[in-house]
Amino acid sequence: MVILGIETSCDETSASILKDGRILSNVIVSQLVHSEYGGVVPYLASKDHEKLVHRVVLQSVEDSSLSFDDITAIAVTQGPGLIGSLLIGLNYAKGLSIGLKIPLIGINHLHGHIASGLIDNNIDFPFLCLLVSGGHTQILKIENETDYIVLSKTVDDAAGEAFDKGARILGLKYPGGPEIDKASLNGKLGEYKFTIPKVKSNIADFSFSGLKTALLYKVNKLSKETMENEISNIAACYQESIIDTLFDKLKIVLNENRVNNILIVGGVSANTRFRIKSKGFMSDNNVNIIFPDLKYCTDNAAMIAMAGYMKYKKGLSSNIDILPFSSIKN
Ligand code: KG4
Ligand code: ZN
């Protein structure tokens, strides 16, 4: 079974070929146009996807050493994401599925991130999944390939958003996560304290929106010179408070839902300090933590192909999530 995955939900144009559960190619073009604006500009993202999507798909087929005739089905991100960007990928995939007379499988982007952890990893169900991306922060119980229950979520900003907004306040580039990650490597912990409020309605839920304001107040009190000297220390302390919150909530959910394995996925799962601190969490809580390979953490089509493969295998190809053209048969 060969699946072509296509991802265009935000600012990465990506295509991947998966054969029988193994990734043969994964082409990702990260749009650089947004960095000067400090965030993704939706109109520019759509324009770039339109320019890139066909070329990226051709490259992914070529890299896999297969041909278009070998493809069994197309898996494409159908949401959530930027509507204009999604439409480019969706319509391209629809056209291709009609042309090749093969099914089209619509994939929820978040299910794609969950599936990223199952590429080259076998994890017994059920397990917990902490999904930490630029738009979402959730802890889910994964019952099987397609059934997920959300146990905890953010009530405002996502963890990735806290990294991005924090980086902006510190004068670092977009996306902010990798920048804070790098700046923190030489930073000292302890000097700057950031407290994150509890969410009264559910103590397992996350709230990150106050953090950037706390950072802004701290930064505004410092002179330009102190800021320059202290940036690594401030970044390290800010990052630490995000990571500690993620682990605090994970512990609460784990205590209520005992499992042997936790999968951590999404862009923030690429964070160096987060990965280091997970070792302590594992031994303290007698649980195993699995991260995807770094190339599958931020947005990519391999995870969409993997989610499509899991869905197709489960025989859901005629379900409502599958777009109408899936009824076209060879
Ligand atoms: O999963 P993703 O690529 O896109 C969404 O679905 O949102 O996640 C992007 C987010 C951004 O907020 C980015 O700053 C963050 O992931 N990110 C990181 C790191 N790499 C990416 N955050 C912390 N440390 C990193 N190394
Ligand atoms: Zn994503």
Side-chain angles (χ1 to χ4, degrees):
M1 189 190 299
V2 176
I3 308 281
L4 164 66
I6 299 176
E7 156 65 35
T8 65
S9 68
C10 192
D11 57 344
E12 261 88 25
T13 315
S14 181
S16 165
I17 296 285
L18 169 148
K19 185 175 184 201
D20 299 331
R22 278 194 46 243
I23 300 297
L24 300 186
S25 67
N26 185 30
V27 180
I28 307 170
V29 178
S30 294
Q31 302 176 357
L32 301 174
V33 60
H34 308 286
S35 65
E36 66 179 285
Y37 298 97
V40 180
V41 183
Y43 168 68
L44 296 178
S46 312
K47 263 181 46 169
D48 258 18
H49 286 306
E50 196 194 6
K51 261 196 283 178
L52 290 165
V53 67
H54 183 55
R55 275 193 270 160
V56 164
V57 167
L58 287 180
Q59 189 65 51
S60 73
V61 174
E62 191 182 321
D63 288 359
S64 72
S65 302
L66 299 179
S67 77
F68 277 98
D69 290 338
D70 297 316
I71 301 171
T72 317
I74 302 171
V76 61
T77 308
Q78 68 178 41
L82 301 172
I83 187 70
S85 296
L86 288 165
L87 280 171
I88 305 285
L90 270 167
N91 282 304
Y92 178 88
K94 275 186 190 177
L96 196 58
S97 89
I98 294 170
L100 295 173
K101 297 187 170 52
I102 55 175
L104 185 61
I105 309 165
I107 298 295
N108 179 311
H109 182 78
L110 305 185
H111 295 179
H113 275 299
I114 296 165
S116 73
L118 300 172
I119 299 172
D120 305 329
N121 282 324
N122 271 325
I123 312 174
D124 288 337
F125 298 108
F127 58 88
L128 290 181
C129 178
L130 169 60
L131 192 163
V132 266
S133 68
H136 294 84
T137 298
Q138 299 181 343
I139 302 173
L140 306 103
K141 184 163 187 192
I142 313 297
E143 303 279 7
N144 56 50
E145 284 89 345
T146 50
D147 295 315
Y148 314 137
I149 307 165
V150 179
L151 300 171
S152 150
K153 62 189 180 322
T154 179
V155 295
D156 41 56
D157 289 354
E161 213 173 338
F163 273 102
D164 294 335
K165 289 177 175 171
R168 202 168 175 170
I169 293 167
L170 293 173
L172 300 170
K173 281 196 297 224
Y174 177 86
E179 295 293 314
I180 290 190
D181 190 339
K182 253 188 281 161
S184 302
L185 294 176
N186 307 316
K188 273 201 311 277
L189 292 171
E191 182 108 354
Y192 299 91
K193 292 261 173 294
F194 298 97
T195 38
I196 296 191
K198 288 195 170 50
V199 178
K200 287 201 188 98
S201 51
N202 178 4
I203 53 156
D205 277 352
F206 303 89
S207 169
F208 288 111
S209 71
L211 195 59
K212 59 174 187 297
T213 319
L215 178 66
L216 188 67
Y217 284 147
K218 276 212 168 98
V219 165
N220 282 346
K221 281 194 202 136
L222 302 176
S223 69
K224 202 166 166 247
E225 197 192 351
T226 317
M227 247 315 270
E228 273 163 20
N229 295 332
E230 288 294 302
I231 190 149
S232 292
N233 299 339
I234 302 171
C237 296
Y238 183 78
Q239 170 179 271
E240 199 75 1
S241 66
I242 299 175
I243 295 171
D244 286 347
T245 306
L246 293 172
F247 283 126
D248 282 354
K249 306 298 175 180
L250 198 51
K251 191 180 171 82
I252 295 171
V253 174
L254 178 66
N255 287 341
E256 301 263 301
N257 301 271
R258 218 33 243 190
V259 290
N260 295 327
N261 294 297
I262 300 173
L263 180 61
I264 303 187
V265 297
V268 178
S269 70
N271 184 271
T272 313
R273 178 79 181 151
F274 193 24
R275 287 179 175 238
I276 291 171
K277 284 200 99 174
S278 72
K279 300 202 167 72
F281 186 92
M282 284 199 260
S283 50
D284 292 350
N285 295 282
N286 193 24
V287 69
N288 189 32
I289 292 186
I290 301 130
F291 287 95
D293 193 286
L294 279 179
K295 60 181 173 288
Y296 302 133
C297 290
T298 45
D299 289 349
N300 66 88
M303 68 186 197
I304 303 302
M306 186 66 186
Y309 173 68
M310 286 158 56
K311 201 162 170 181
Y312 199 75
K313 253 199 334 189
K314 244 203 136 192
L316 290 180
S317 52
S318 59
N319 218 344
I320 43 157
D321 268 349
I322 311 291
L323 299 163
F325 296 111
S326 62
S327 53
I328 297 169
K329 293 265 155 32
N330 268 321

